[in-house]
Amino acid sequence: MPKSKKKRPAGGVKSWQARLTMDADQITAAFLSSLDVDSSLWQYDIAGSLAHARMLKEVGLLTAGEFRKINKGLMSIARDMDAGTLAMPIELEDIHMVIEKTLIDRTGQAGMKLHTGRSRNDQAATDLRLWARHSIHVLSQAVRDLQRALVDVARHQGRLVMPAYTHMQRAQPILAGHALLAYVEMLDRDHCRLAGTLKRLNVCPLGSGAVAGTSLPLDRRMTAQLLGFDGITRNSIDATSDRDFLADLCYCCAMIAVHLSRWAEDWIIQSSNEFGFVELSDAYCTSSSMMPQKKNADTLELIRAKGAGAIGSLAGLLALLKGLPLAYNRDMQDDKRFVMPAVAAVHQALVVARGIVATAKFNRQRIESDINAGFLDATSMAEYLVGKGVPFRKAHQIVGRLVSAAQANGKHLAELPLPALKAACEKFESDVRRYLGAANVVRRYRPEGSAGLAQLNKQLAYWKKELE
Amino acid sequence: MPKSKKKRPAGGVKSWQARLTMDADQITAAFLSSLDVDSSLWQYDIAGSLAHARMLKEVGLLTAGEFRKINKGLMSIARDMDAGTLAMPIELEDIHMVIEKTLIDRTGQAGMKLHTGRSRNDQAATDLRLWARHSIHVLSQAVRDLQRALVDVARHQGRLVMPAYTHMQRAQPILAGHALLAYVEMLDRDHCRLAGTLKRLNVCPLGSGAVAGTSLPLDRRMTAQLLGFDGITRNSIDATSDRDFLADLCYCCAMIAVHLSRWAEDWIIQSSNEFGFVELSDAYCTSSSMMPQKKNADTLELIRAKGAGAIGSLAGLLALLKGLPLAYNRDMQDDKRFVMPAVAAVHQALVVARGIVATAKFNRQRIESDINAGFLDATSMAEYLVGKGVPFRKAHQIVGRLVSAAQANGKHLAELPLPALKAACEKFESDVRRYLGAANVVRRYRPEGSAGLAQLNKQLAYWKKELE
Amino acid sequence: MPKSKKKRPAGGVKSWQARLTMDADQITAAFLSSLDVDSSLWQYDIAGSLAHARMLKEVGLLTAGEFRKINKGLMSIARDMDAGTLAMPIELEDIHMVIEKTLIDRTGQAGMKLHTGRSRNDQAATDLRLWARHSIHVLSQAVRDLQRALVDVARHQGRLVMPAYTHMQRAQPILAGHALLAYVEMLDRDHCRLAGTLKRLNVCPLGSGAVAGTSLPLDRRMTAQLLGFDGITRNSIDATSDRDFLADLCYCCAMIAVHLSRWAEDWIIQSSNEFGFVELSDAYCTSSSMMPQKKNADTLELIRAKGAGAIGSLAGLLALLKGLPLAYNRDMQDDKRFVMPAVAAVHQALVVARGIVATAKFNRQRIESDINAGFLDATSMAEYLVGKGVPFRKAHQIVGRLVSAAQANGKHLAELPLPALKAACEKFESDVRRYLGAANVVRRYRPEGSAGLAQLNKQLAYWKKELE
Amino acid sequence: MPKSKKKRPAGGVKSWQARLTMDADQITAAFLSSLDVDSSLWQYDIAGSLAHARMLKEVGLLTAGEFRKINKGLMSIARDMDAGTLAMPIELEDIHMVIEKTLIDRTGQAGMKLHTGRSRNDQAATDLRLWARHSIHVLSQAVRDLQRALVDVARHQGRLVMPAYTHMQRAQPILAGHALLAYVEMLDRDHCRLAGTLKRLNVCPLGSGAVAGTSLPLDRRMTAQLLGFDGITRNSIDATSDRDFLADLCYCCAMIAVHLSRWAEDWIIQSSNEFGFVELSDAYCTSSSMMPQKKNADTLELIRAKGAGAIGSLAGLLALLKGLPLAYNRDMQDDKRFVMPAVAAVHQALVVARGIVATAKFNRQRIESDINAGFLDATSMAEYLVGKGVPFRKAHQIVGRLVSAAQANGKHLAELPLPALKAACEKFESDVRRYLGAANVVRRYRPEGSAGLAQLNKQLAYWKKELE
């Protein structure tokens, strides 16, 4: 793995600003080169070449000696890449060419045989699939880690009764853990989507050549197996021009990012002075350069922002592919410019989110002090009447009027005297008190998936097992 | 199913133009209403209500008599909807309210009990999942139909040798059927994606209430089973605010549309005067209002255009969901404005594409007359040298020079005299002729997935079985 | 102007659902037809034809009698369109064909001459420009109306001191009117953008024919003048394939919608129970079907949602145009599917927003009761020290520590005793009180554009003049 | 200006791959930092600070000595940035902090006064406007340069008669220069759009503080003037949270990129073997790694691809801004991730496009050899009949039938014998020959903006003057 060796960000050297000041030839060279993004693929390119070379040896297109030279040459290139010392002249355009050229410099004739039966088109497609496969593993793990962090908080702080919101208005009382597990559900669909993407992509295009295959007797199943693929692609034209797996991955990233943005929005609002429900660790907040009192949930805002980046990447990648004639077109070189930043940003966001969740505290006192504001028990009161045979629509109207009356008098529903209730509907009895107040309401939730304690415990048990 | 009863398109009555001329109150009412899109959900809304009512009866919240009345009322509403005679005042805002209100008008007390333990939030989520499920079935079928049409043409016209292109430049010779099956591969991934979406979405949110569930003893598994769901959602907050399944469906549509756009682009170009490879049935072409000679592949262009619509829908839907706090927000009412047109357009495009494919003819004479233009056999010549022990990189250079020489003299590679070949590389022998010319090249393709006859036959056999 | 004659929305008759159940021929006909969107163009199409016919008469390509017949025929069609009685068989594909075909049916030979020197391509381009021009007028007016409503509220309720937020955290005190005028600024840029779009689009493409012009002696400047254009397009290829003006309009809509979404987000949060700053008129709120106590700011949420629709439209339209070869391609038929809904939705949102603003009330009591929470005066305290010669960075640190101390003791900065202040920095004197407390801070703002009263008054005067 | 000092692209050091392997603390630090993009702003940040400092001195908030120290310190930082030697620890998060921190290290007390009356919010907004202004200048220049190159080719090679296409089908004959000038028109709207954006953005936000302004007596008009702004922003809340100018710039880039993509698509197709109209300089083509004969128009494909990138950037930036509450939120830190790559890519594409255009050759022989294929003169023939009094619709039908007859016999319209013409319509006379054949048609074009020689010359004269 390459390690960052220097303090200065890349931007300082070859900045967006600098790009505007190069001369026309430099610009054309820079324009054609994808080294700034595809050098990330070096490990996969070398792995693919090793497998290809070994297969060439097995089918007799390389001698054992040539294979040894290639093998040794590729390993030396890997060491130099890892050390960050390999020269990558921009004129070579991409990492594939850099590696092949270097190999030929180091091994002569043997290196000139590596590209036998191979094209940049099937080679790049293979490298990208290997990269995407690794990215999915990393993302899936990060999704799972965040799920575990959410479940942990749900287990330890989740029995607190708090308001649920719809339309940003107080709706019904819930246990805090129930809200946390809602995000766990979203992330689980993300995990499932990543798995589906992995399954579809894990077939090997190597041996498809530039577009039509080759007349050489390659053993495609051997290279596929060496590289850990489940099988081989069926059609050389499709294999060299298909980028569905990158679009799928981009879409997975967009959905994760959208889910994270909803959570971030919730917690940004809930950590405002006015709500005060959630307290974030200082490690995830920053101050203001001008206002000395500020403690801003910046990290959450940046997480929210990543949704936009991923949406842009997805829309861009699809616009790239739309209307492209078969087969490979150079437009596809830009595929990495959409998917690589999206994967990196979403991965970062997942890791950071986990840290935020793991260190967050619900402000029990603040939440409880205000828990009976907003008539969270109005629905429960209507359901009480339903239990007494009042049609729900009628019960809804009755309680609606009682809410208005209570509001006008600055009272909670539980504080209305029984005669006042009976005046609204004669079915009210004193047992209605057991349906009122947030704590009572939460206790009464019945069906599976509701926001009460029994359901929460069941869900916690489910996730404990699922995420082990 | 509602049938179109009138000749005038909707646009004439409530056109985009008209919308700019209403007064403020009308505009506000129109703005709040989603009847223009969600009336499509009526069948699912009634199905959902029937299941809910039956469950309410089973758990004792409705009497048998009330259930009978509701049942009968809903069936009468279904008949009126089908006939297109039900009044839908815009003030009722959505189809759910129209149906409940009408039911109460027709059944009184009984109807007022239908909404027991239910919210618009879990109701709409259920309806949308039923709609999406049906849409997936319809789309999957249309995908399969188009695949079959492509395989048919590949079987009957697919043995023709034609050029494959990369970068819109002639690359290598292939069998026409191989190119057709490339689209079949794309569509197969689409089919797989639809199946994954279906699997994830087919759980029932009913019983989740507005956000927190309910205190009433609903039997969620019963309604789920009655409606053909595989199970129930686990978390009421997520269940009422999740629209992943619509995003997934939108993404499936976008990918189908992108695939179709690539095919359309290919055939638009290939049916130009300059290419002349494909001849489309007149049924799918139109003329010009000004130019009497024109036969335009308009239908293909509109198919290509649908990629843009689906990309816009997907980007828009994700932007809608990004940053939405939990749980249900009215923003989500607009979800249908993205996904419904995308599904309809992509379905249309699939059906139309099938017709175009089924009636298209490859112009064998035109293709064959020019098949040896563009040095399609250059790679094969280089691979010949590889067989003689020349390193591929060297062989590539040698052939590159021969191509230049041939081009300068207006000859094909096969027309170069052996001495000229030998001057370039002494390994050339007279057997090189068997590697030259498009027909020879196609015959020599070796690995699985290549563009030759053996591979085509294998793929045709595979698809025959798969699509049966 | 067409008026809506019926109660049932279009969706019930030709719903998205219905579209999935048509047979293949119906689907192909529906697929090719754009009548569902372009019938909105009928007025512009007729206006364009009237101008074209009059010019044809002037240059001698129509006789006076033929012109009279055409004129009369077109007027009768206009009446029928207005009454909603013109038949529009889907097979005629678009409104232009419907009108020409009807005209020929009604006028015979004369009608057959209308399309002289004209193509559907320049005709449609002209109609679209006329439509876009009208749309810009309507949108500009609605933007101005909303600006006026905001300025009105700023004038009448705007002197209230309230907290400004950055990162959703309390930042500094401002006058409420200053926040309202921030939206007025955004809308002013929108107004400016619309004006720029109008200026660029107001040239007439008529006379450009299908792509190359015509050999007939048309007088393009005459039709341009008759139709109120400022001039004519310079290049027939560009004129018939240019849709920049629709993209510009879509972009204008997206920016307006994004601005409205920011305002909507602010007011959704500020009308929550926890903030309670803004009270919306009941006319713009709705209740819940399940929860009797709810008053949701649904209208604001739908306004926020329109940002997503406009983003999707814009991304889609650009993806449509990307990579289209010259000149007209049928893909462009779908341009209306992006821009028309965007214009209609944004127009509605503007009109509804104006109603919301005009009827909103700031809750002065609630805002004032909590105005000194959040240390809004911390920056002012630091600036006090700057006035005493303390470098700002140092002052920032000193006040930061005082805020922590005050917070720990549950006090405001103004409540800290002078000795405690002096312990932190000896420059503090008792006059620091005049810098503390929100009201004092607001009074002290100095530069133009700040959030104080003098600046507000100046801005109100500016807008009064500008919006008159 | 920073110059690139090293051979290795940034990607090798801090690659997308590497980003997936950092630990959680590194990831959080990297996540919060925008140095990788905003270090490009250093020149603008220093320029802004110099102006701010000078103003502080003028209003008495800095002494002359302090100002001198700050001035000197900033200049030394500029030198170090330019040399690429300034340390930028990621923990400082952004370039603004790097510069202020370094200044304080170098100047002590004086440096601690620089941020007086300033916030990161108004500072960053100012830097971004300065950057955007410079970007617009650079882009405008590149647009103009490309226009000039197109006009040059139109002047020198543009009198060649070639087919115009609609729907990728041969439509009417045109002069090649007329097609080239169509792109010049598109680019001119881009130039106009950039000018409008510049005009709207060129007001200075400095002095707006964090959100509300300041109590210090800043002279905003002085800094604005020093920095070349036309005026100052009117509202501090809007000034610190407005990113319209970046969206405008992104939109300008998207439109330029869409225009370039249309041109690229045209030339990719026209440089195919089958068309063979345009020959590109080898400098802008690349070969294949596998196929020795290939000469691919890769550069055009990459230019086409940039449309997708710009669409993604625009959609992403708008999704970022949508629904953001006032005022500044950290989400906005990511604004640069959308706009900076878009500007750089579009600028590169413009420069490269100019090179391609300037070195391209139309293949006159190839174009002329086939110029009468496709019945390009059919419209002209119909217009001949119009001149004889035949209604256009009837003439259109007559010619349509003649085209079918000619096609069936493998003839051009000009080759049909007069009796055959007369049989179709008795108005035909022998003078019809003067209307047939591409060269004749082009000669007859009449209205302004048509594709003939007189119109081309007029347009060339117009552009010569406009672009001087």
Side-chain angles (χ1 to χ4, degrees), chain C residues 107-399:
Chain C
T107 67
Q109 289 269 116
M112 295 176 82
K113 290 194 167 181
L114 174 61
H115 211 57
T116 302
R118 191 174 71 168
S119 161
R120 200 70 71 236
N121 297 353
D122 61 341
Q123 180 182 6
T126 305
D127 293 4
L128 280 170
R129 282 176 192 255
L130 291 169
W131 172 84
R133 196 172 68 187
H134 177 64
S135 298
I136 289 171
H137 286 309
V138 171
L139 287 171
S140 296
Q141 196 50 54
V143 165
R144 280 294 191 233
D145 286 346
L146 177 54
Q147 286 182 298
R148 283 186 201 103
L150 286 160
V151 171
D152 270 0
V153 181
R155 183 172 296 119
H156 295 114
Q157 304 185 51
R159 270 115 187 144
L160 171 66
V161 178
M162 66 182 284
Y165 294 78
T166 60
H167 310 268
M168 278 300 293
Q169 298 291 332
R170 289 181 164 229
Q172 292 179 283
I174 56 168
L175 293 186
H178 193 62
L180 292 165
L181 293 186
Y183 307 123
V184 176
E185 295 286 339
M186 296 179 203
L187 292 164
D188 214 53
R189 287 190 295 273
D190 293 323
H191 193 260
C192 179
R193 238 175 248 117
L194 287 166
T197 298
L198 177 58
K199 204 178 148 171
R200 276 192 301 278
L201 80 73
N202 204 28
V203 284
C204 188
L206 212 52
S208 301
V211 59
T214 174
S215 63
L216 298 168
L218 307 185
D219 182 344
R220 294 186 57 205
R221 295 196 182 266
M222 185 187 298
T223 35
Q225 199 182 5
L226 287 169
L227 293 167
F229 285 107
D230 296 332
I232 62 171
T233 56
R234 271 186 301 263
N235 183 296
S236 61
I237 298 176
D238 179 58
T240 51
S241 63
D242 166 32
R243 291 297 183 270
D244 281 21
F245 59 99
L246 294 184
D248 285 2
L249 179 50
C250 231
Y251 174 66
C252 289
C253 287
M255 289 307 294
I256 296 172
V258 164
H259 292 151
L260 292 180
S261 77
R262 298 189 73 173
W263 161 72
E265 173 85 359
D266 274 335
W267 280 28
I268 288 167
I269 292 171
Q270 292 184 15
S271 62
S272 68
N273 187 283
E274 285 72 11
F275 277 75
F277 288 6
V278 181
E279 283 173 17
L280 304 180
S281 158
D282 284 357
Y284 298 99
C285 298
T286 60
S287 187
S288 155
S289 76
M290 186 178 191
M291 300 175 289
Q293 88 281 16
K294 285 305 246 21
K295 178 183 163 185
N296 299 321
D298 291 54
T299 339
L300 286 172
E301 293 169 282
L302 279 171
I303 289 173
R304 184 173 58 185
K306 299 308 172 189
I311 291 169
S313 286
L314 178 61
L317 179 55
L318 294 177
L320 184 87
L321 297 173
K322 175 190 160 262
L324 272 199
L326 291 184
Y328 182 81
N329 296 278
R330 186 72 174 261
D331 313 58
M332 287 176 180
Q333 176 173 297
D334 272 1
D335 51 11
K336 291 166 283 296
R337 299 191 187 283
F338 299 102
V339 70
M340 285 182 169
V343 166
V346 167
H347 177 249
Q348 286 183 331
L350 283 165
V351 172
V352 173
R354 182 199 185 187
I356 295 173
V357 168
T359 56
K361 298 261 175 295
F362 281 94
N363 188 334
R364 173 181 293 270
Q365 195 181 351
R366 178 79 177 263
I367 293 170
E368 287 181 343
S369 74
D370 211 29
I371 188 59
N372 283 314
F375 302 98
L376 297 169
D377 47 7
T379 306
S380 179
M381 184 185 244
E383 292 176 349
Y384 167 85
L385 291 178
V386 165
K388 303 275 179 173
V390 181
F392 180 73
R393 269 285 152 262
K394 206 164 273 179
H396 186 276
Q397 288 162 14
I398 292 163
V399 177

Side-chain angles (χ1 to χ4, degrees), chain A residues 93-110:
Chain A
E93 294 195 0
D94 61 33
I95 188 65
H96 320 294
M97 204 50 131
V98 165
I99 290 175
E100 190 189 344
K101 177 73 167 45
T102 310
L103 182 72
I104 293 174
D105 289 348
R106 295 185 183 181
T107 67
Q109 288 270 116

Side-chain angles (χ1 to χ4, degrees), chain B residues 207-218:
Chain B
S208 301
V211 59
T214 174
S215 64
L216 297 168
L218 306 187

Side-chain angles (χ1 to χ4, degrees), chain A residues 251-263:
Chain A
Y251 175 65
C252 288
C253 287
M255 290 305 295
I256 295 171
V258 165
H259 291 152
L260 292 180
S261 78
R262 300 189 71 173
W263 160 72

Side-chain angles (χ1 to χ4, degrees), chain C residues 4 38 95 99 106 148 162 223 300 313 345 352 355 439 441 458:
Chain C
S4 186
D38 68 20
I95 188 66
I99 290 175
R106 296 187 182 179
R148 283 186 201 103
M162 66 182 284
T223 35
L300 286 172
S313 286
V352 173
V441 175
K458 190 175 168 188

Side-chain angles (χ1 to χ4, degrees), chain A residues 165-167 169-171 265 271 274-275 288-291 293-294 296 301 319 322 374-375 379 393 396, chain C residues 165-167 169-171 265 271 274-275 288-289 291 293-294 296 301 319 322 374-375 379 393 396:
Chain A
Y165 294 77
T166 61
H167 310 268
Q169 297 291 332
R170 289 180 164 231
E265 172 85 359
S271 61
E274 285 72 11
F275 275 76
S288 156
S289 75
M290 186 178 191
M291 299 175 290
Q293 89 281 16
K294 282 305 242 24
N296 299 322
E301 291 169 283
K322 175 189 161 263
F375 303 97
T379 306
R393 269 286 152 261
H396 186 275
Chain C
Y165 294 78
T166 60
H167 310 268
Q169 298 291 332
R170 289 181 164 229
E265 173 85 359
S271 62
E274 285 72 11
F275 277 75
S288 155
S289 76
M291 300 175 289
Q293 88 281 16
K294 285 305 246 21
N296 299 321
E301 293 169 282
K322 175 190 160 262
F375 302 98
T379 306
R393 269 285 152 262
H396 186 276

